[in-house]
Every structure is written in structure tokens, then in C-alpha cells.
């Protein structure tokens, strides 16, 4: 458990990275993130399952990248619409999150320019919400892979809602 009130960090790079026992965050909503330049890997490999305190903390974040923010963590859902619109780069934001079940694009900023590897190797994704209303910039690539669904979209053009193809992929058992 981390309890920390009224902090104003300038760099949160890997701050709680590789802390699999970290399952509860208290007081992050009081942090002033306006001078923080980087949050990459902040919860890399952390044990948190609910990212809500992180969304609250990021309300004052003005940076543009989430690089590896939750990679290898235990989060069960992610809501892109809860991130500040200043964030345009979601590179590998939830890559290799084995517990990730739901990805919600509802209200996601149309300023997003990079989703490369954002949800790659997330084997238990069963629900993707709001993708039909997400308007992506020209040329953005989205690839979500799970044991339950494979969704690909490449070279989205004309700032139109993302068109996707979904292909069920069978779960293979070793012989």
C-alpha cells in the first residue's frame, strides 16, 4: 500500500515500477502533476488492479506520453477517456497485462497519435468498448491481441471512426 499526499513530482519514471506487492494507492488525487515531465513505467509490473487512483492523479498532468505506464501490471480495465487530452502517446501503455479484461475508448481524445503496442499480449481481453466512436488520426495502427479476440486496424484514414476486423482465435492446449 502506498499512502502519499500533496506531492509535486517532476519525474515519475518507474516510480513504482517492479512492485508486484503494490495493490493499493491512497492520496494520489492530491498530487500536483503539472510539473511532471514523464510518467513512463510508473506502474510497470505493479500489483494494482484498479487504475482509478491513477486517473485522478493524472488530472493535472500536462505531459504527452504514457510510455509503458501499466505494462506488466495487474490492471483489469483501462479507460482511455479518463486520461488528460494532453496525452497523445499511449505507446505500450498496457502491454503484457495478463489480467486486462476491458479496454474502454469511450471519450478518448481525438489527439491520440500513437497506440503502438498499447494492448499487445493481453491474453484475457474480452471487452472493447467505445472503439466504434473513437476517431483516430490518419495512419494510426491499433493491434489488440488476446486469447479471446484479435482486433486489428491499420492505416485508419480521414479521421473517421476506427473500422475494425475481429477474428476469434482458438485457445490452444498443449498435447
Amino acid at each position: 500500500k502506498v499512502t502519499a499526499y500533496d506531492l509535486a513530482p517532476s519525474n515519475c519514471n518507474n516510480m513504482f515500477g517492479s512492485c508486484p506487492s503494490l495493490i493499493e494507492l491512497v492520496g494520489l488525487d492530491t498530487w500536483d502533476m503539472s510539473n511532471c515531465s514523464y510518467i513512463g513505467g510508473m506502474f510497470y509490473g505493479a500489483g494494482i488492479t484498479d487504475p482509478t487512483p491513477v486517473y485522478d492523479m493524472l488530472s493535472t498532468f500536462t505531459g504527452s506520453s504514457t510510455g509503458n505506464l501499466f505494462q506488466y501490471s495487474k490492471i483489469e480495465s483501462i479507460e482511455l477517456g479518463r486520461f488528460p487530452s494532453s496525452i497523445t502517446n499511449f505507446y505500450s501503455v498496457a502491454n503484457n497485462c495478463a489480467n486486462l479484461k476491458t479496454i474502454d475508448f469511450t471519450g478518448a481524445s481525438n489527439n491520440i497519435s500513437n497506440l503502438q503496442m498499447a494492448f499487445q499480449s493481453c491474453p484475457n481481453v474480452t471487452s472493447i468498448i467505445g472503439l466504434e466512436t473513437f476517431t483516430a488520426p490518419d495512419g494510426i495502427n491499433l493491434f489488440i491481441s488476446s486469447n479471446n479476440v484479435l482486433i486489428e486496424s491499420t492505416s485508419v484514414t480521414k479521421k473517421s471512426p476506427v473500422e475494425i476486423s475481429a477474428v476469434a482465435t482458438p485457445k490452444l492446449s498443449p498435447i
Side-chain angles (χ1 to χ4, degrees):
K1 176 178 179 177
V2 168
T3 303
Y5 293 97
D6 301 319
L7 293 179
S10 60
N11 187 336
C12 294
N13 187 32
N14 292 313
M15 183 178 275
F16 303 112
S18 300
C19 293
S21 299
L22 176 60
I23 57 172
E24 187 178 359
L25 303 165
V26 178
L28 269 62
D29 59 328
T30 66
W31 288 25
D32 178 0
M33 298 292 286
S34 61
N35 292 317
C36 185
S37 59
Y38 194 66
I39 57 172
M42 189 172 181
F43 298 98
Y44 180 102
I48 62 168
T49 58
D50 179 12
T52 301
V54 179
Y55 304 139
D56 295 340
M57 174 195 70
L58 292 176
S59 66
T60 58
F61 182 68
T62 58
S64 63
S65 179
T66 65
N68 309 320
L69 180 66
F70 293 116
Q71 187 174 13
Y72 287 102
S73 75
K74 304 290 185 203
I75 61 167
E76 296 176 354
S77 64
I78 190 166
E79 298 174 59
L80 295 180
R82 302 272 316 263
F83 286 89
S85 61
S86 66
I87 297 175
T88 59
N89 183 355
F90 284 86
Y91 175 80
S92 201
V93 67
N95 187 339
N96 284 288
C97 289
N99 293 353
L100 186 63
K101 295 175 185 73
T102 303
I103 302 168
D104 189 348
F105 282 86
T106 306
S109 170
N110 291 336
N111 295 329
I112 294 173
S113 62
N114 188 355
L115 284 165
Q116 183 179 3
M117 295 175 52
F119 309 109
Q120 190 170 357
S121 300
C122 296
N124 294 303
V125 171
T126 56
S127 178
I128 299 170
I129 302 166
L131 192 55
E132 67 281 357
T133 60
F134 173 62
T135 304
D138 288 349
I140 198 168
N141 291 320
L142 173 64
F143 180 84
I144 301 170
S145 61
S146 124
N147 290 341
N148 303 302
V149 66
L150 170 65
I151 295 181
E152 293 185 68
S153 175
T154 58
S155 298
V156 175
T157 59
K158 299 181 183 173
K159 288 199 174 268
S160 59
V162 174
E163 294 180 21
I164 61 171
S165 61
V167 179
T169 54
K171 291 186 178 182
L172 301 176
S173 300
I175 340 182

